[in-house]
Amino acid sequence: MYRNAKNVGYYMIGKGSLVQLGDLLSVRRKTVQGPCVFFLDHAFKDGKLASKLPVEDNDIILYVDTTEEPTTESVDMYTARVKEFLNGALPCAMLAFGGGSTLDTCKCVGNLLTNPGQAQDYQGWELVQNPAPYKIAVPTLSGTGSETSRTGIVCNEAKNIKLGMNSDFTMFDQVLLDPDLTASVPRDQYFYTGIDTYMHCFESITGSYRNVVVDALAEKSIELCREVFLSSDMMSDENREKLMIASFMGGMAAGFVGVVHPLSAGLSMVLHMHHGVANCHALSVLEDIYPEQHKEFMRMMERQGITLRRGICKGLNDAQFDALYDASIVHEKPLSNRLGPDYKKILTRENVRQRFERM
Ligand code: ZN
C-alpha cells in the first residue's frame, strides 16, 4: 500500500518575517468568523513577544507551561480552557509560538476542538476523524520539526507511554520561519533541541522504511546540521536560519525514527527529561548501533562546548529500570526500522538496563 503524503500548505522563511504575520492572518479573518487563539511558550510571559503580534480584542493568549513536556492531562486542561473561551464556536485560527512542546499542545488541542473525547483517545495512527481548525506555527526554537510533522507528541502517565496523535489533521496549515526569534535561546537548549533534527534524519535514512523524497530531505537536513554544529558559532545569524530550515525539512523527513527516540521516550516518561537532551543521552550509549553518527555527534558537542551530565540513572531502583525498559521497548515500529523484527533479541532487558546505567 502506498501512502498519500501530505506536506505543510504554506511556508514563509526569512529574517524579520514575523512582521508579515498580520497580513497572513487578516486574509483569514476576512473569510472566517471567530476569534484567534494564541499559544505562547511561558518563556514569553513578560509580554514582549505578544506586543509584536496581531492580537485583536476578541482573541485569547494562552501561555503554555513547558516545564514538563505535554501530557494527556495538560492537553485536556488547555482544551477545556479554549472550549470555555470559545463557548461553542470554532476559532478563526490557532497560532503557536514556541518549541515542540508549545506547537504540539496547539496541534493536539486543535484536534480535540473538532473531535469528541480526550487526548488519550487519539494517541496512535489515523485516529483523528474530523479536520482540525486552521493552524499557524511560528517556531521560536529549532529542531523538533513539529512545525512540519504530522504528529503531536503527548506523554500518557497512566499508560507509561509517550505517543503522538499521528494524523494529517494534526499538521499546521501555515508555517512562518523567522530566525530572529531564536537569537535569545540559551546555548545548551539551542544545541539539545537543534540536534533533534539531525537524529530524526539519520534515524530515518539508516532505517528500512524509506522513500526517495524523505531520503533527499533527510540528507539535506543532515548536511545543514553539519554546517551549523561543526562551525565555530552555531548561533550566528546565518546558522540560526540554516537550523530553522534543517528543522523544517527534518519534520517532513521524520516518518520513522530508529533506536534513539525509543530510549529517549523512556527517559522522558520515567525521569521527566526533555526530548532534546534525552536524545543526546540516548545516542551517547548507542555507539554499537550508530557508530558513525555517534562519533560525529561527539565531535559536534565538543566543537560547541556542550557537555552531558553523567550518572543520570544512578540510584534508580529495579522498578524504575523496568519502567525505563518498558517505555522504550514498546516502540516497535522505530526499533524494528533499525534492528529488524528480532529487535528484542538485541535489546534485551539486561542490555537496555546496562545502557541506561552508562548514561
Ligand atoms: Zn525527536
Side-chain angles (χ1 to χ4, degrees):
M1 282 286 280
Y2 295 102
R3 194 167 77 81
N4 193 14
K6 183 174 187 282
N7 280 345
V8 155
Y10 291 88
Y11 59 91
M12 183 181 279
I13 301 176
K15 191 173 154 51
S17 56
L18 184 65
V19 295
Q20 279 179 251
L21 180 63
D23 299 343
L24 293 177
L25 205 52
S26 69
V27 174
R28 180 86 195 157
R29 288 196 202 264
K30 271 181 202 146
T31 54
V32 183
Q33 297 270 314
C36 293
V37 180
F38 290 75
F39 291 86
L40 273 64
D41 186 297
H42 67 164
F44 300 114
K45 233 174 173 168
D46 63 10
K48 279 187 199 150
L49 177 63
S51 71
K52 294 182 197 163
L53 304 179
V55 183
E56 295 188 355
D57 290 346
N58 293 333
D59 300 341
I60 187 175
I61 297 178
L62 287 175
Y63 287 98
V64 179
D65 187 342
T66 56
T67 317
E68 301 274 346
E69 298 198 321
T71 59
T72 46
E73 287 87 25
S74 76
V75 169
D76 288 337
M77 185 268 289
Y78 288 113
T79 304
R81 281 175 64 184
V82 173
K83 277 187 173 170
E84 194 192 336
F85 165 74
L86 292 169
N87 196 17
L90 281 175
C92 165
M94 299 171 75
L95 302 93
F97 304 77
S101 293
T102 308
L103 268 53
D104 283 8
T105 297
C106 173
K107 289 158 102 172
C108 294
V109 171
N111 287 340
L112 291 171
L113 291 184
T114 51
N115 291 272
Q118 296 180 306
Q120 62 164 359
D121 303 333
Y122 299 98
Q123 286 184 287
W125 283 264
E126 322 313 336
L127 300 172
V128 182
Q129 301 297 319
N130 306 311
Y134 172 90
K135 300 186 292 293
I136 303 180
V138 184
T140 63
L141 189 58
S142 304
T144 68
S146 172
E147 61 275 22
T148 45
S149 75
R150 65 192 299 278
T151 190
I153 312 273
V154 193
C155 295
N156 187 325
E157 301 285 343
K159 293 185 184 162
N160 187 34
I161 188 171
K162 185 175 183 181
L163 186 61
M165 294 186 189
N166 293 272
S167 162
D168 285 349
F169 299 134
T170 307
M171 291 183 81
F172 285 102
D173 300 280
Q174 167 82 52
V175 175
L176 187 144
L177 301 176
D178 181 350
D180 280 350
L181 293 169
T182 62
S184 58
V185 177
R187 275 183 64 81
D188 278 19
Q189 194 182 11
Y190 179 88
F191 181 87
Y192 295 142
T193 309
I195 203 80
D196 190 19
T197 196
Y198 174 78
M199 306 225 187
H200 289 155
C201 293
F202 83 65
E203 286 183 279
S204 175
I205 57 170
T206 54
S208 45
Y209 313 124
R210 311 269 293 272
N211 84 51
V212 180
V213 176
V214 164
D215 281 7
L217 289 164
E219 280 163 12
K220 185 65 190 176
S221 178
I222 288 173
E223 191 185 306
L224 290 170
C225 287
R226 286 191 180 122
E227 288 173 21
V228 171
F229 293 118
L230 294 173
S231 75
S232 58
D233 178 10
M234 64 180 177
M235 292 190 70
S236 68
D237 279 359
E238 195 192 346
N239 280 337
R240 279 187 287 101
E241 179 154 337
K242 274 186 189 169
L243 192 61
M244 266 197 156
I245 295 166
S247 174
F248 179 88
M249 292 194 293
M252 291 193 272
F256 286 105
V257 285
V259 185
V260 176
H261 275 72
L263 294 197
S264 168
L267 291 170
S268 288
M269 285 312 305
V270 179
L271 302 180
H272 296 271
M273 193 177 273
H274 271 248
H275 181 59
V277 67
N279 280 346
C280 293
H281 283 290
L283 181 57
S284 78
V285 296
L286 294 172
E287 58 279 79
D288 53 333
I289 293 173
Y290 295 113
E292 282 167 40
Q293 293 81 8
H294 176 270
K295 221 161 102 188
E296 185 163 66
F297 165 68
M298 289 298 173
R299 257 178 62 216
M300 289 171 170
M301 286 226 297
E302 199 188 320
R303 185 89 174 114
Q304 301 305 329
I306 303 290
T307 50
L308 286 177
R309 192 162 60 84
R310 306 302 304 170
I312 54 165
C313 293
K314 219 174 160 186
L316 296 189
N317 59 36
D318 288 346
Q320 286 171 307
F321 277 112
D322 281 343
L324 278 170
Y325 176 78
D326 294 337
S328 304
I329 211 73
V330 68
H331 295 281
E332 181 190 333
K333 273 186 194 171
L335 292 169
S336 60
N337 185 29
R338 174 60 177 171
L339 300 172
D342 290 336
Y343 64 90
K344 280 187 189 164
K345 287 186 183 154
I346 301 163
L347 297 178
T348 60
R349 197 172 280 272
E350 191 49 37
N351 176 292
V352 173
R353 177 169 178 152
Q354 282 170 6
R355 291 182 198 268
F356 282 118
E357 283 172 338
R358 282 201 289 125
M359 288 177 187

